[in-house]
Amino acid sequence: MSTEKNNAHGSMPEGQGVDLSKPPAVYTPDRFQGQRVLITGAAQGIGLAVAHRIAYENGSVFLVDRADLVYEVAGELEKAGDGTISSATADLEIWAGAEEMMDQAVSALGGIDVAINVVGGTIWAKPFEHYTPEEIEKEVNRSLYTTLWSVRAELPHLVDQGGGTIVNVSSVATRGTNRVPYAASKGGVNALTSALALEAAPKNVRVVATAPGGTLAPERAIKRGPGPEGEQAKQWYQEIVDQTVDSSLFKRYGTLDEQAAPIVFLASKEASYITGSVLPVAGGDQG
């Protein structure tokens, strides 16, 4: 996932959150009617915005997050549409967590038709030579293995039922400063998406991804990791903010709605002839 921006770091303004009591500003009623959708990272940020939209488009949604906040979100979304709303917590950095997630999704919804894998995000921001081996492993676990394990758990079910769709959330930060382990992880997500699309197409499974750029979001209720401490760390983070804005043709961060819209489109039947693609959503920054 992209660097979701809030005013705890750098100098960009805080973004608008998702008002679960109201419909999205733009949505397509009934687009997901009869569809069962699993969404990881659904308690906050981009994942929450995606869940909000699909619930209002009358999809049945299974929300997954590592934070208990996901249960509160699910309760709010029960009022949104005609679909079933269920939720679970899971540690997707390990295979057992992804396997348990799928078992619970099948139990709650009877199966899934679409899987949207959002979990990920930069933990630290600094030049590569300052990362410890332990920090590198944690970055890869957070932003590659969460998707790798999730897809491995989701795919057999989709194949067995005769088809479905997987949407991964990558990042344009594969070409980004001060986050090499995260960039390498998201490069892996891109490769996973394109390679698996080749294997899965004969089995009627589409595999696609978006690559968000910097995204404005409110302060996270559950933080990904420690914020920058000290002037040097703040400077390194500010370099990420500056590069993100400079790389965008619009010279700004995107909004949660601007990230959710293409994810939801790719997940829908409207995108039935698209597979293997990684769509940059970064104001013209191709990554």
Side-chain angles (χ1 to χ4, degrees), residues 154-222:
E154 296 151 1
L155 183 64
H157 175 79
L158 297 176
V159 171
D160 288 347
Q161 74 175 12
T165 300
I166 294 171
V167 182
N168 298 322
V169 176
S170 181
S171 175
V172 295
T174 49
R175 186 174 180 269
T177 191
N178 292 350
R179 43 193 163 160
V180 167
Y182 174 71
S185 299
K186 290 304 189 179
V189 171
N190 292 349
L192 163 65
T193 299
S194 59
L196 184 58
L198 290 172
E199 288 187 14
K203 302 163 188 173
N204 199 34
V205 175
R206 294 191 304 115
V207 187
V208 291
T210 68
T215 304
L216 292 168
E219 182 74 26
R220 293 181 67 86
I222 309 296

Side-chain angles (χ1 to χ4, degrees), residues 89-113:
T89 55
D91 179 1
L92 299 179
E93 294 182 12
I94 59 174
W95 165 244
E99 192 174 32
E100 182 180 3
M101 171 188 73
M102 268 306 302
D103 289 343
Q104 292 186 70
V106 171
S107 176
L109 299 183
I112 65 167
D113 304 294

Side-chain angles (χ1 to χ4, degrees), residues 237-257:
Y237 195 91
Q238 188 62 46
E239 288 171 4
I240 289 181
V241 173
D242 293 343
Q243 187 214 352
T244 299
V245 174
D246 289 345
S247 297
S248 166
L249 302 187
F250 293 136
K251 304 305 177 189
R252 65 172 176 85
Y253 272 57
T255 68
L256 291 174
D257 282 344

